[in-house]
Amino acid sequence: MKQINISDLAKALNVAKSTVSKALRDSHNISTKTKDRVKAMAMEMDYQPNPHASSLKNHKSNTIALIVPDTTNHFFSTAIKAVQLVGYERGYHVLAYSTLDDAEKEKSIFSLLKNGRVDGVIMSTVNDAGHIDHIKEFAGKGYPVIFFDRVCEDFDGVKIITNDLEIASDATEFLINKGCKRVAFLSVLKDFSIGNNRLKGYMNALEKNKIPLDESLILNGSMDYENNHKLIREMLTGTNPPDGVLAPVEKMAITCYFVCKELKINIPKQLKVVSYSNLEYASLLSPGLTTITQPAFEMGTIAATMMFNSFEKKKYRLKNETIVIPSVFTERDSTVEI
Amino acid sequence: MKQINISDLAKALNVAKSTVSKALRDSHNISTKTKDRVKAMAMEMDYQPNPHASSLKNHKSNTIALIVPDTTNHFFSTAIKAVQLVGYERGYHVLAYSTLDDAEKEKSIFSLLKNGRVDGVIMSTVNDAGHIDHIKEFAGKGYPVIFFDRVCEDFDGVKIITNDLEIASDATEFLINKGCKRVAFLSVLKDFSIGNNRLKGYMNALEKNKIPLDESLILNGSMDYENNHKLIREMLTGTNPPDGVLAPVEKMAITCYFVCKELKINIPKQLKVVSYSNLEYASLLSPGLTTITQPAFEMGTIAATMMFNSFEKKKYRLKNETIVIPSVFTERDSTVEI
DNA sequence: CTGAAAGCGCTAACAG
DNA sequence: CTGTTAGCGCTTTCAG
């Protein structure tokens, strides 16, 4: 397990270790000749600096934390990939955490990070907007925090979101224009900014089209799949079922598909469905699902780029700023007129 | 950015920092009283040890690297989640990397890890079995490496795989029993152990059922989607097309679905399809896809558990061992007899 | 039971 | 241009 360190290098070269250190970091007051000698030897001896020593000395870990609710969600896994890629290119490492939508866990992850383990955090917070003291405290120590997708409204900093409200409105209007008289909204993140914006968009579209809001068409789903199933089933078998559905979350649309299969409700004939989704194979569902796709990769790329820029250049210091990246609407068979 | 450190604590308590250190680590030669005092103060001052200092001192980072080809693949993202969960429970952090199937990148990631950044590596290697000197060298320094799924055959260590050969054989036989006379194999990882085992299983089943191997039914796919599409199309429009297909990789099955849609080939009537897959919504494809699901979560959990055990207890030292976790076969409409 | 001191590997200030 | 030295925050002998 013996690693080769800077002293070994220095000894081998018969110079001081500070010289080695400087040479390796291209200090301008080391002669080109020694630099070359040092670098050659470093190569030969397969030297890699000990990251803990540098981090300790420099108060800089060159790693960031990426905290998401669930890595298995395609939206998040895509964002993770993006962050990893730019991290790799720019010489940063990424510690990845899943909160599993557990606010307590999110909190405890933060406490693990708060003594220099990372230089900053990119995160999508858990579904519990109220309690962000741990995040504020962390940011208060000078660590940058960038939110994406699931942001905390009352946090001063960078928030990267998508045009949720507008596109939810557009999608609702799209359904209305396809002839839907009763468009339902399958809420699941009730008290959350994203859910709220999507719900707002939905309501805006109704208003714009002079359709009175029917509370019974807004389903209050949860993280409990079985319960959602039951609720959707009740809605679809009720006296006045919807003929269109906007799902702010992929899972709800999938659940809706399941229920329709059970009830032999034909999509899109009896019910048209639009869903927010990052499902890779939406077109292969039966029927192909009309989707609003959030720009996960772009969001991740921008978040990472902004963070690393802020580390490296003063002029990129992060400010209180909300960046909107448009989602992509893709029409498929689940909303076709028959 | 000023963090509170052990000296601050010591000062506040009027004791030596060594006492604080020992108290916090529950050394038995510190009085219960001081321990309590120290711990209370640590709590009050919200002290978190600096991980770099401990790592430097102890030559132990309490973090592992998790290297996979692509985090967006559902199999890998599930494994990542499993590793994260176990890591969190046991006090380890996980640095996550995607190689994007680039062997050079995998190599360079290893060079970043080789001076104590991590205590071990859990990985699924890129599709390039030949060159693993970097891994051997890394392991040679005493770092444990655990492979899962995409393992290196000629590496002495823990390999966690699934019962690929058997289940590929079973699946092929399943197709034969469903009446398929010509079962194709949509290879994509030709020179890789996994692909090989799946292919072997396929061939075993043919042999067992006294069906001569027809080389034209083994497609040599690549990572190039367009090309695979072309190859599958050619196969299905050829003079003697298959009536069953075993896809060793989800992507090939999906591509096959696309081609069938284009060619208006009815699945399962004209072509039955079985695929290895960790697609969450396989049952919602059109038609529902019969799958072999690899136990991603279990594999990740076991890999992580073994690794952490090996750190903590001598008796769990890793040895040259291959662990097989069975995959799950789920029959759906894509293989139904009509 | 508690404290002083050395040292993990690196960097940076300061001397030469 | 190169070397000496102190110190990042922690752990761990070793003395008291």
Side-chain angles (χ1 to χ4, degrees), chain A residues 1 3 46 48 51-52 84 88 93-94 96-98 108 111 114-117 137 141 143 254 284 286, chain B residues 1 3 46 48 51-52 84 88 93-94 96-98 108 111 114-117 137 141 143 254 284 286:
Chain A
M1 198 64 116
Q3 307 293 348
D46 196 24
Q48 276 292 325
H52 307 302
Q84 286 179 337
Y88 177 77
H93 297 257
V94 3
Y97 300 89
S98 286
S108 91
S111 78
K114 85 176 136 204
N115 219 322
R117 173 163 260 123
E137 186 205 331
K141 298 199 183 200
Y143 292 111
I254 300 293
L284 292 170
S286 164
Chain B
M1 198 65 115
Q3 308 293 349
D46 196 25
Q48 276 291 326
H52 308 301
Q84 286 179 336
Y88 177 77
H93 297 257
V94 2
Y97 300 88
S98 286
S108 91
S111 78
K114 86 177 135 202
N115 217 321
R117 174 163 260 123
E137 186 205 330
K141 299 198 183 200
Y143 292 111
I254 300 293
L284 292 169
S286 165

Side-chain angles (χ1 to χ4, degrees), chain B residues 60-98:
Chain B
K60 178 117 174 32
S61 64
N62 282 297
T63 106
I64 61 165
L66 178 54
I67 306 176
V68 298
D70 186 350
T71 52
T72 62
N73 177 312
H74 200 260
F75 170 77
F76 292 124
S77 68
T78 306
I80 292 175
K81 180 167 155 181
V83 172
Q84 286 179 336
L85 294 190
V86 183
Y88 177 77
E89 261 172 31
R90 310 219 7 196
Y92 290 88
H93 297 257
V94 2
L95 280 175
Y97 300 88
S98 286

Side-chain angles (χ1 to χ4, degrees), chain B residues 154-186:
Chain B
D154 61 336
F155 176 83
D156 281 349
V158 177
K159 298 169 201 128
I160 300 172
I161 56 173
T162 184
N163 56 342
D164 258 320
L165 198 149
E166 293 74 16
I167 205 147
S169 172
D170 291 352
T172 309
E173 209 159 359
F174 172 86
L175 285 168
I176 293 168
N177 292 337
K178 286 284 182 187
C180 294
K181 301 292 176 211
R182 294 176 54 73
V183 178
F185 184 84
L186 306 186

Side-chain angles (χ1 to χ4, degrees), chain A residues 1-4 46-53 55-56 61-63 70-72 74 77-78 80-81 84-85 88 93-98 100 104-105 108-109 111-119 137 141-143 250-251 254 257-258 261 279-281 283-286, chain B residues 1-4 46-53 55-56 61-63 70-72 74 77-78 80-81 84-85 88 93-98 100 104-105 108-109 111-119 137 141-143 250-251 254 257-258 261 279-281 283-286:
Chain A
M1 198 64 116
K2 165 66 183 156
Q3 307 293 348
I4 121 114
D46 196 24
Y47 168 76
Q48 276 292 325
N50 180 312
H52 307 302
S55 296
L56 178 58
S61 64
N62 282 297
T63 106
D70 186 350
T71 53
T72 62
H74 200 261
S77 67
T78 306
I80 292 175
K81 179 166 155 181
Q84 286 179 337
L85 293 191
Y88 177 77
H93 297 257
V94 3
L95 280 175
Y97 300 89
S98 286
L100 303 185
E104 277 311 307
K105 183 164 179 183
S108 91
I109 288 168
S111 78
L112 295 171
L113 301 180
K114 85 176 136 204
N115 219 322
R117 173 163 260 123
V118 297
D119 300 332
E137 186 205 331
K141 298 199 183 200
Y143 292 111
E250 181 181 293
K251 199 169 185 168
I254 300 293
Y257 264 57
F258 273 120
K261 251 192 179 174
L279 241 193
E280 230 173 326
Y281 308 126
S283 63
L284 292 170
L285 290 183
S286 164
Chain B
M1 198 65 115
K2 164 65 184 157
Q3 308 293 349
I4 121 114
D46 196 25
Y47 168 76
Q48 276 291 326
N50 180 312
H52 308 301
S55 296
L56 179 58
S61 64
N62 282 297
T63 106
D70 186 350
T71 52
T72 62
H74 200 260
S77 68
T78 306
I80 292 175
K81 180 167 155 181
Q84 286 179 336
L85 294 190
Y88 177 77
H93 297 257
V94 2
L95 280 175
Y97 300 88
S98 286
L100 303 186
E104 277 311 307
K105 183 164 179 181
S108 91
I109 289 168
S111 78
L112 295 171
L113 301 180
K114 86 177 135 202
N115 217 321
R117 174 163 260 123
V118 297
D119 301 332
E137 186 205 330
K141 299 198 183 200
Y143 292 111
E250 181 180 295
K251 200 168 185 171
I254 300 293
Y257 265 57
F258 273 120
K261 251 191 180 175
L279 241 193
E280 230 173 325
Y281 308 126
S283 63
L284 292 169
L285 289 184
S286 165

Side-chain angles (χ1 to χ4, degrees), chain A residues 8-9 22 34 42 88 93 95 116 123 125 133-134 151 167 182 186 199 210 221-222 239 269 306 308 332:
Chain A
D8 299 330
L9 260 187
K22 282 177 221 156
T34 4
Y88 177 77
H93 297 257
L95 280 175
M123 75 183 297
T125 189
D133 289 350
H134 55 293
V151 306
I167 204 147
R182 294 176 54 73
L186 306 185
L199 181 57
K210 307 208 168 32
S222 64
T239 49
K269 205 170 168 188
M306 289 184 74
F308 300 141
R332 295 201 184 83

Side-chain angles (χ1 to χ4, degrees), chain A residues 172-196:
Chain A
T172 309
E173 210 160 358
F174 172 86
L175 285 168
I176 293 168
N177 292 337
K178 286 283 183 187
C180 295
K181 302 293 176 209
R182 294 176 54 73
V183 178
F185 184 85
L186 306 185
S187 166
V188 62
L189 296 167
K190 184 162 87 74
D191 40 20
F192 224 69
S193 63
I194 290 168
N196 275 335

